[in-house]
Amino acid sequence: PVYQILCYSAFLLLQDGGGGAQGRGRRAAAGVFMDVTRAFSGAASSALFLSPSTFTSRRRGSSGMISPPSFSSSASSPPSSTSSLSAEKHGPIRAATPSAAISLQEEGGKRVGGVSGDSFIRPHLRRLSPYQPILPFEVLSSRLGRKPEDITKLDANENPYGPPPEVLQALATLKFPYIYPDPESRRLCAALSEDSGLGADYILAGCGADELIDLIMRCVLDPGDKIVDCPPTFTMYEFDAAVNGALVIKVPRKSDFSLDIPGIIDVVEQEKPKCIFLTSPNNPDGSIINDEDLMHILGLPILVVLDEAYVEFSRMESRMAWVKEYENLIVLRTFSKRAGLAGLRVGYGAFPLSIIEYLRRAKQPYNVSVAAEVAACAALSNPGYLEKVKHALVAERERLYNLLSEVPFLKPYPSHSNFILCEVTGGRDPKKLKEDLVKMGVMIRHYSNKELQGYVRVSVGKPEHTDILMKCLQLLT
């Protein structure tokens, strides 16, 4: 088909050639097209062959226009039924054979000619499995037949205390919701600069950190490029890689959920992946990456994306400032956990200046809404509240860990985040455990992927949420 299109392009140039300099120019251009087609087809090609004499003879029809070129098959060509330009197969060149144009009239919800809607979707996306999100309160309330306040939601690592009161006040007095937001989120980036101590030039805001994960992949990966993933971890990395047509190389974590540094080094040397996604603290187990391991990975020829969605609960300093020293480091953060703004979708990242320029070009221009920017700025205006909530959640995490350790069929893992991963022991079925708790109005996270088939994850809530969970677990003991 490409060969035929090239030939027909040469034909069109000659058709309107005329005389004089313009005609000579068009004939010269047609010659270039013929050179390209000959190079494209090659001596042994089985493609359709168009004789150069078709153009040199300049056959004219009764209208005085050059007749469409005829295509003849070589010895190895397909049957003659495929040896002519067909509008049915070559939409852009229907003018050559108008009688062959197909009707696009719809009949019974299907297009005539065998064209269905999903045929326009990229093939790798037709094979894509959808991401499995956590259900919100209103859906759970409808399915369980319970009021939202009667549901103990410990399955999505949300902040049960919600945002500072300044956020609700700012949203209630929002002045210009009908005006498009600032495409550069300048007010928010300035507030984040003050909060982090990093220059605003290094900071990019997004519609949640999830948007930035996808944006990074769109800017960095060509289809077929490779990324390194270290499961069990946040499954959005693997999902977004599939959306962007990338290949995922998995280097599983050790039994204690620490990174396999030698394994990562081997994969980078052998497979030449473009980037690696790391989470610290890691979701779902709450383990952290120490400085030594991170510097080992930063020494490799690979872009390192460090997701710090839960760093506030770890008592570790953020590595945002490291982007000024390492050209291959990106650090992602979010307002979902720290500030209780999961429903408004606000995330941000720290990027080397040599990278952030291109992400700014490629991102959607109005990706952070007016409401989201106002809410995030209001949350940052009350750091005392954020610290108080953080300390409350860390204290409750320790209490929850101790209580879960007393449950005979659960083995909790120490966590540096706002959740605790538990291995389900004693022959219990983790899926049934979750289902039994759901019937009591308590939501926890169960996993179907092979790395975590025997585990459940419990988010840290308020003390009263822990009390309800423990009462339900006692009933199941």
Side-chain angles (χ1 to χ4, degrees):
V2 175
Y3 179 82
Q4 292 183 350
I5 292 171
L6 288 169
C7 293
Y8 192 69
S9 299
F11 158 69
L12 290 178
L13 286 168
L14 284 173
Q15 178 172 327
D16 296 325
Q22 183 179 16
R24 288 192 296 274
R26 288 183 175 271
R27 286 191 291 277
V32 172
F33 267 102
M34 288 307 301
D35 288 340
V36 172
T37 58
R38 281 192 290 270
F40 178 83
S41 61
S45 172
S46 62
L48 297 175
F49 176 73
L50 175 64
S51 170
S53 64
T54 304
F55 294 99
T56 56
S57 64
R58 298 193 63 198
R59 294 179 290 108
R60 293 185 180 271
S62 59
S63 64
M65 300 297 290
I66 299 177
S67 302
S70 60
F71 294 84
S72 60
S73 299
S74 65
S76 58
S77 297
S80 59
S81 62
T82 63
S83 300
S84 62
L85 283 175
S86 169
E88 183 175 353
K89 295 179 68 177
H90 305 289
I93 49 178
R94 278 192 201 124
T97 53
S99 62
I102 65 170
S103 169
L104 294 181
Q105 182 179 8
E106 294 190 359
E107 293 182 1
K110 295 183 179 179
R111 284 176 177 259
V112 177
V115 178
S116 63
D118 65 354
S119 68
F120 301 107
I121 303 299
R122 296 165 68 186
H124 78 280
L125 293 179
R126 294 203 294 269
R127 299 187 295 270
L128 179 71
S129 297
Y131 186 79
Q132 298 298 323
I134 298 295
L135 296 178
F137 259 141
E138 56 270 22
V139 176
L140 290 173
S141 177
S142 175
R143 290 190 180 183
L144 300 178
R146 293 173 176 266
K147 296 179 181 179
E149 54 268 26
D150 294 332
I151 299 173
T152 302
K153 196 171 185 302
L154 303 174
D155 60 346
N157 305 336
E158 293 133 334
N159 186 332
Y161 292 95
E166 287 83 357
V167 170
L168 298 180
Q169 295 167 8
L171 292 174
T173 58
L174 197 63
K175 291 183 178 180
F176 305 110
Y178 53 90
I179 300 296
Y180 284 112
D182 176 7
E184 297 182 27
S185 304
R186 276 166 277 220
R187 183 184 168 201
L188 176 55
C189 288
L192 287 168
S193 176
E194 183 176 351
D195 178 69
S196 65
L198 185 66
D201 290 347
Y202 293 88
I203 299 173
L204 181 67
C207 181
D210 291 350
E211 186 208 10
L212 297 179
I213 293 169
D214 179 65
L215 178 62
I216 291 166
M217 291 196 187
R218 287 193 290 114
C219 290
V220 171
L221 301 175
D222 287 316
D225 280 344
K226 302 170 184 176
I227 75 162
V228 178
D229 192 34
C230 300
T233 191
F234 188 33
T235 54
M236 186 61 73
Y237 312 135
E238 184 177 0
F239 174 78
D240 278 334
V243 170
N244 286 280
L247 304 177
V248 177
I249 304 172
K250 297 186 178 183
V251 182
R253 291 169 178 262
K254 300 177 183 178
S255 58
D256 63 353
F257 298 103
S258 62
L259 292 173
D260 179 4
I261 301 299
I264 292 172
I265 294 173
D266 287 345
V267 160
V268 172
E269 290 176 349
Q270 295 174 16
E271 300 290 340
K272 305 295 188 293
K274 268 196 174 178
C275 55
I276 181 171
F277 286 81
L278 303 171
T279 311
S280 183
N282 186 48
N283 178 7
D285 63 279
S287 61
I288 55 176
I289 303 174
N290 60 49
D291 287 354
E292 182 180 359
D293 286 348
L294 181 57
M295 286 189 286
H296 264 116
I297 299 172
L298 286 170
L300 302 173
I302 190 170
L303 177 62
V304 179
V305 182
L306 180 63
D307 190 339
E308 291 188 337
Y310 303 95
V311 72
E312 290 85 6
F313 308 106
S314 68
R315 298 191 176 100
M316 290 188 67
E317 292 291 329
S318 169
R319 274 77 169 237
M320 285 180 64
W322 287 30
V323 302
K324 299 174 72 173
E325 181 179 355
Y326 293 95
E327 289 277 312
N328 63 328
L329 175 65
I330 293 172
V331 180
L332 302 180
R333 300 281 296 274
T334 180
F335 280 85
S336 296
K337 321 302 179 183
R338 173 192 184 189
L341 294 180
L344 285 174
R345 312 307 302 130
V346 199
Y348 60 101
F351 301 81
L353 296 180
S354 57
I355 292 178
I356 197 170
E357 169 189 356
Y358 300 99
L359 273 71
R360 286 197 176 111
R361 294 182 193 180
K363 79 173 186 67
Q364 293 295 317
Y366 306 116
N367 58 326
V368 180
S369 72
V370 173
E373 183 172 15
V374 165
C377 290
L380 291 174
S381 73
N382 192 344
Y385 176 92
L386 301 180
E387 281 294 303
K388 180 181 177 181
V389 166
K390 178 187 76 174
H391 289 306
L393 288 171
V394 169
E396 190 59 24
R397 179 186 70 202
E398 303 309 314
R399 174 174 176 256
L400 175 62
Y401 175 85
N402 291 331
L403 290 172
L404 291 173
S405 299
E406 298 174 1
V407 178
F409 52 85
L410 292 180
K411 177 188 174 183
Y413 283 78
S415 173
H416 296 271
S417 192
N418 68 336
F419 52 79
I420 295 176
L421 184 71
C422 298
E423 182 180 1
V424 181
T425 62
R428 290 267 184 161
D429 182 351
K431 184 177 180 181
K432 187 176 187 305
L433 173 60
K434 177 197 171 176
E435 292 171 348
D436 288 342
L437 288 172
V438 167
K439 294 174 183 177
M440 302 179 194
V442 176
M443 311 299 299
I444 63 171
R445 183 70 185 268
H446 162 260
Y447 296 93
S448 58
N449 53 315
K450 63 180 182 180
E451 298 95 351
L452 293 169
Q453 283 182 351
Y455 295 81
V456 293
R457 190 194 66 197
V458 182
S459 301
V460 179
K462 296 179 178 180
E464 54 265 37
H465 298 150
T466 300
D467 294 341
I468 293 172
L469 170 67
M470 297 312 300
K471 286 180 181 179
C472 293
L473 288 173
Q474 288 171 4
L475 293 174
L476 299 175
T477 301

